[in-house]
């Protein structure tokens, strides 16, 4: 997964984004380990399984919303988790709803999507699978209503410490990026983009998702970068993360 570094300008409110009252009570979920969507972020997805193709087509015909969640036990078919006793793979209770903002069909039967992160949600209960075979939940958005104002949120970020930790992390992992774009990015956009695209583990990704707000997420991001910066560097050639 990848996400281009945002511009230095704060994002404007999107007139197509739903209000709290317009968010769906019932929503399909897409369990995917190690993948994070945050409010204000953009997530590219490559859809090819029949059940998820059905999910996308049904969503496009309705509210265009998909709930991104992580399985509690990574693994399984297509990374959607290990089956639990007598049921589908268990997923974390907190996820993030994304709105389909663009899609393209490919000649080999895939859909290339872009999801815009709208608001986190809590799973109240899982419903019977949809006719197409994908999973659905009853969702509660009200505890995270502040996510809808992410464009106005002020983030307290120790930028100097973040940049030092990021440089150390990239050196340790043998990664590279467009540093000019990183330096120009606004604080809120930078925290969101880095949280989503950096190669943290599923537990770290979930912790970043569940952070109380962007300031708490920024502090957690710096801590994860500093903790991971001293890991063993990869033997593979450098690759770009954006």
């Amino acid at each position: 997964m990848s996400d281009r570094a945002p511009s230095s300008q704060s994002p404007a409110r999107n007139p197509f984004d739903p209000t709290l009252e317009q968010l769906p009570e019932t929503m399909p979920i897409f369990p995917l380990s190690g993948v994070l969507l945050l409010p204000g972020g953009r997530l590219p997805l490559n859809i090819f399984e029949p059940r998820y193709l059905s999910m996308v087509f049904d969503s496009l015909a309705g509210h265009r919303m998909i709930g991104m969640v992580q399985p509690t036990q990574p693994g399984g078919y297509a990374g959607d988790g290990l089956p639990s006793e007598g049921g589908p793979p268990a997923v974390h209770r907190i996820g993030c709803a994304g709105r389909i903002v663009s899609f393209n069909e490919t000649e080999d039967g895939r859909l290339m999507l872009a999801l815009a992160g709208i608001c986190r949600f809590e799973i109240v209960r899982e419903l019977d699978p949809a006719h197409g075979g994908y999973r659905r939940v009853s969702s509660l958005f009200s505890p995270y209503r502040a996510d809808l104002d992410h464009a106005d949120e002020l983030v307290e970020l120790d930028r100097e410490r973040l940049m030092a930790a990021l440089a150390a992390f990239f050196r340790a992992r043998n990664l590279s990026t467009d540093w000019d774009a990183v330096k120009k990015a606004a604080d809120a956009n930078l925290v969101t983009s880095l949280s989503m695209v950096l190669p943290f583990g599923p537990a770290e990704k979930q912790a970043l998702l569940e952070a109380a707000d962007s300031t708490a997420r920024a502090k957690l991001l710096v801590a994860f970068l500093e903790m991971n910066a001293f890991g063993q560097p990869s033997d593979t050639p450098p690759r770009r993360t954006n």
Side-chain angles (χ1 to χ4, degrees), residues 184-200:
K184 293 177 182 177
D187 288 349
N189 288 343
L190 186 60
V191 170
T192 295
S193 293
L194 291 178
S195 297
M196 287 178 57
V197 304
L198 289 176
F200 294 134

Side-chain angles (χ1 to χ4, degrees), residues 7-239:
S7 69
S8 59
Q9 301 299 317
S10 297
R13 290 181 177 276
N14 189 328
F16 295 108
D17 284 348
T19 63
L20 181 67
E21 293 73 24
Q22 292 171 326
L23 292 171
E25 294 182 4
T26 299
M27 184 171 55
I29 58 170
F30 189 3
L32 202 55
S33 181
V35 175
L36 175 62
L37 176 63
L38 291 172
R42 288 289 179 99
L43 179 67
L45 291 172
N46 177 17
I47 308 295
F48 54 87
E49 287 185 60
R51 56 178 167 162
Y52 293 131
L53 289 172
S54 294
M55 175 188 71
V56 171
F57 288 131
D58 288 350
S59 182
L60 286 170
H63 47 60
R64 298 169 61 188
M65 303 285 287
I66 293 173
M68 296 300 301
V69 295
Q70 286 202 113
T72 57
Q73 295 293 325
Y77 179 68
D80 61 0
L82 298 176
S84 57
E85 292 184 8
V91 297
H92 284 283
R93 188 171 54 90
I94 307 301
C96 183
R99 185 173 62 85
I100 300 174
V101 293
S102 67
F103 75 97
N104 290 306
E105 302 175 355
T106 66
E107 293 183 357
D108 58 356
R110 294 177 293 121
L111 289 175
M112 307 298 289
L113 299 185
L115 285 186
I118 301 298
C119 185
R120 289 173 292 174
F121 65 93
E122 178 181 331
I123 294 177
V124 178
R125 63 187 178 92
E126 184 154 356
L127 307 173
D128 291 336
H131 180 71
Y134 58 87
R135 298 169 67 177
R136 303 180 303 147
V137 299
S138 174
S139 48
L140 180 66
F141 289 95
S142 56
Y144 303 101
R145 65 175 65 237
D147 287 353
L148 297 173
D149 299 321
H150 61 81
D152 299 327
E153 187 177 14
L154 297 178
V155 181
E156 295 180 15
L157 173 65
D158 186 338
R159 192 156 182 130
E160 183 176 350
R161 183 177 173 183
L162 171 66
M163 295 300 290
L166 187 63
F169 179 88
F170 276 25
R171 285 195 301 269
R173 297 298 183 92
N174 206 23
L175 300 172
S176 63
T177 192
D178 183 347
W179 286 105
D180 287 338
V182 171
K183 292 174 182 178
K184 293 177 182 177
D187 288 349
N189 288 343
L190 186 60
V191 170
T192 295
S193 293
L194 291 178
S195 297
M196 287 178 57
V197 304
L198 289 176
F200 294 134
E204 293 165 316
K205 293 281 188 178
Q206 190 66 27
L208 288 165
L209 172 69
E210 296 187 19
D213 53 29
S214 292
T215 294
R217 184 172 297 119
K219 294 177 180 178
L220 199 56
L221 173 64
V222 172
F224 286 157
L225 283 169
E226 292 176 339
M227 286 189 295
N228 281 275
F230 301 101
Q232 292 298 319
S234 171
D235 293 330
T236 57
R239 60 182 176 85

